[in-house]
Amino acid sequence: MDSYLLPEFVKSLNGLDHFDTESFIRVHALGEQPVSVHMNTVKPVLTDGGWPSDFIHPPFELAGKVPWAADSYYLSQRPSFTLDPLFHAGTYYVQEASGMFLSFVLSQITDLTKKMKVLDLCAAPGGKSTLIQSLISPESLLVSNEVIKTRVPVLTQNMIKWGRSNGIVSNNDPSHFKELPGFFDIVVIDAPCSGSGLYRKDPEAAASWTPDLVNLCSQRQQRILADAWSCLKEGGYLIYSTCSYSKEENEDVLDVHMQQYEVASVPLFPDRAWNIVETISEKSGAFGYRFYPDKVTGEGFFISVLQKTHTGLEETLKNYSSRKSMKSGPGGRSGKNPLRVSRSASLLLNPWIQAEQLELITIGESIHAMTPGLLHDLELLKNNLYLKKAGIRVGKEGENEWIPDHELALADFLNKDCPTLNISKSDALLFLKGESFEAGVSGKGWHVVCYRNQRLGWVKLLERRMNNYYPKSWRIRQ
Ligand code: SAM
């Protein structure tokens, strides 16, 4: 059978547990690409268990649930997501199904109703982060970090669309997290990898596979795990995943880590019917879970969970000194809160939000809303990391009026009584292109634009025209 997979690549996988060379090559040659989405539960859109019927590019149906993830579905074919306003409203995220297994992992290892701090260390474009934010309790904290600067905007955009106030986006190298010893309950490392698990989606990439690439990735992965280790608290979990099949990037990385630190590997118990392959690493007996596209409806994926059983002496001392400096640090000593919001700003803002469950802070010119109880953590993170987003930027004080930020339109706490323009799909697409449309109302001022009750952004209605405030860099071009 003709195959775009390099023979040396396939050969390198021979001998892996349950690896079936023939069916692996066959499934790649078939070229099928399952499409799947996970739904944003704070922005429900499914009606009678199906997609709104006027989403017709091309017509499709939900083709079953992703078995290991709540609120996640396969689609019968790939529609034009760009032309669906509900996609831009953040009502769902298009995500590869195997990667959604993180949902099962989180619910197995932890009580998700508890308050916790989660770091998604390699977060762009935001698939895992949106999934995590849907699963953790609203009072928990999610830090979504991306080291590559040019990939931060897409991550930020996706987190804004997800609309929750308990998230922070940072742009740091993994080594910077050493400054936060024992801070996180869970660290997710969806590591940069050789990407062989995605060759069905991008057959041309298969030609660039080399053993050197795999080794380079493996070294980098080991470094990332080592850098992230100290910010995990004792008893906390590190969830490691890649979309590579190579043992060097998966089981071997676990082995190196297990030999250097005090760690327990955590077994997972997926349903046998899901056909996920459990592996046990050669040197340390770490459990890993492999997804092969000839066995599951999804792409190639590997995931494993490590629990930190003991924090070393060096780390304990660092922990102690950083706690001490937090207590005597700025704000703590003077008793002043440097982030306080002025009374005039609060008065202007209050009618826009359901404020009882929010804390407001000033960052630069803007006011941000955060889940209560997270400000102390924010302060600590701000002092150690390069933060790109904190909570929801709700806007700023203008002359006698509140100037709402785009993030507020997409947030789950916008006041329901806020002036609203409900528009058709064709007008919604005009809005998303940054154009004007017939408003059909006589009111003036700021209005939130909605399609099927899902908010898209702001317009300001003036005497004879409309100003479209959909962010320029987000506008669709089709
Ligand atoms: N978790 C993301 C999701 O679900 O949408 C996908 C993450 S992707 C597999 C790996 C990410 O790691 C990329 O965004 C990449 O920019 C980032 N990355 C690349 N080099 C890195 C490094 N040296 N340290 C940490 N992250 C890195």
Side-chain angles (χ1 to χ4, degrees), residues 90-110:
T91 65
Y92 61 92
Y93 188 97
V94 185
Q95 188 179 26
E96 198 286 297
S98 303
M100 294 185 201
F101 188 67
L102 175 62
S103 168
F104 175 81
V105 173
L106 283 170
S107 50
Q108 191 189 306
I109 61 173
T110 186

Side-chain angles (χ1 to χ4, degrees), residues 93 95 122-128 146-148 151 174 190-192 220 224:
Y93 188 97
Q95 188 179 26
C122 311
K128 305 286 183 308
E146 170 56 45
V147 64
I148 297 185
R151 288 173 62 80
D190 190 28
R220 192 200 287 146
I224 294 174

